[in-house]
Structure formats: C-alpha cells, structure tokens
C-alpha cells in the first residue's frame, strides 16, 4: 500500500487514483487534496515511497520528518549525478587525482546523509 503522511496532521493518507490514472491523496479532517499530475512528479512520488519503504521509515509521524527525508534524498540524488559525471571525466589512462579526490568527498557526503536518515528513523522509533 502506498502511503504518505498529511503535511498538516501527519495522518497516513492512502494513495488514490483519479479517472486519468493519476495518483492523488486526500486528508479528510484537514480537507487537503494533493494531486500529482505530471510525469516527473509521479516518478518522484514513486521514488519517495520506495525510499520510505526501503529505509523502513515510520511515516505516520509529523510531516516535518518527511521534508527532512525528502531533502536528504534529493541531495543524495544530486550527489550521485555528480559522481557519475566525475567518473566520466576521471579517465582510464590519465587519472585526474583532483577528480578522484572530489569523488571521494561526494561519497563521504552520501554516507553522512544516509546516517542522517538512520537518525531520523531512530528518532521516530523512540517517539512511538
Ligand atoms: Zn491532515
């Protein structure tokens, strides 16, 4: 089941599908309707839900955690793109040491972000 927390009350919202097969979420108590209409948004949504499940993050907590998680995930995405770009530039025969070092720093940053995700996850567990 695809669930996202309401950004106001944190209630788990079940993903619904409109007549055009686009995903949307409704929070009855808050009266929020969240429609995701474009391909990019739908892909981001799928990715977000996958990541939430993968990291086993409890999502019934306050929306705050979700924003933190989203910010971290999108930073990781950006870093991965950078790493790929660097790897294309590092070269097979003439190794560019600066770029190797830069890649290492980016990877370290990803590690830090992943442990931040764990922190958030733990913090949510202790709140329960
Ligand atoms: Zn709500």
């Amino acid at each position: 089941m695809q669930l996202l927390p309401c950004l106001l009350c944190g209630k788990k919202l079940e993903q619904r599908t409109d007549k055009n097969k686009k995903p949307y979420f409704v929070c009855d108590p808050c009266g929020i309707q969240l429609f995701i209409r474009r391909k990019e948004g739908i892909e981001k949504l799928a990715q977000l839900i996958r990541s939430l499940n993968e990291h086993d993050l409890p999502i019934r907590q306050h929306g705050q955690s979700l924003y933190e998680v989203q910010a971290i995930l999108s930073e990781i995405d950006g870093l991965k793109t950078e790493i790929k770009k660097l790897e294309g530039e590092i070269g097979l025969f003439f190794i560019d040491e600066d770029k190797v070092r830069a890649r290492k720093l980016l990877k370290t940053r990803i590690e830090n972000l992943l442990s931040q995700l764990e922190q958030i996850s733990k913090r949510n567990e202790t709140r329960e």
Side-chain angles (χ1 to χ4, degrees), residues 5-124:
C6 171
L7 59 90
L8 289 183
C9 71
K11 181 173 174 271
K12 272 185 193 174
L13 309 179
E14 221 174 286
Q15 183 173 318
R16 308 181 191 186
T17 310
D18 71 9
K19 56 183 190 307
N20 301 312
K21 303 220 158 62
K22 304 275 165 89
Y24 73 104
F25 298 86
V26 175
C27 180
D28 280 328
C30 298
I32 285 185
Q33 297 183 317
L34 176 68
F35 292 88
I36 300 104
R37 302 221 190 265
R38 302 235 188 237
K39 192 167 163 269
E40 199 178 315
I42 291 170
E43 283 168 6
K44 284 213 168 82
L45 174 70
Q47 192 188 24
L48 175 64
I49 288 178
R50 212 166 37 239
S51 305
L52 288 170
N53 291 339
E54 249 172 47
H55 296 286
D56 200 21
L57 294 169
I59 59 169
R60 66 161 172 224
Q61 302 294 337
H62 298 286
Q64 177 64 26
S65 302
L66 184 69
Y67 293 125
E68 285 176 55
V69 169
Q70 262 173 317
I72 291 174
L73 289 174
S74 70
E75 189 174 347
I76 290 177
D77 254 11
L79 291 168
K80 282 185 175 165
T81 310
E82 281 302 304
I83 288 175
K84 255 191 207 141
K85 215 174 96 197
L86 277 173
E87 281 174 345
E89 290 168 0
I90 282 172
L92 289 177
F93 302 105
F94 302 100
I95 308 275
D96 185 331
E97 287 301 334
D98 288 340
K99 285 179 177 163
V100 171
R101 209 175 305 154
R103 181 179 60 182
K104 206 175 157 207
L105 290 173
L106 292 176
K107 284 185 172 167
T108 308
R109 178 74 187 138
I110 288 181
E111 287 304 313
N112 288 339
L113 289 168
L114 288 174
S115 58
Q116 276 182 43
L117 276 183
E118 274 166 30
Q119 293 295 320
I120 292 172
S121 172
K122 274 191 205 126
R123 194 180 68 202
N124 285 339

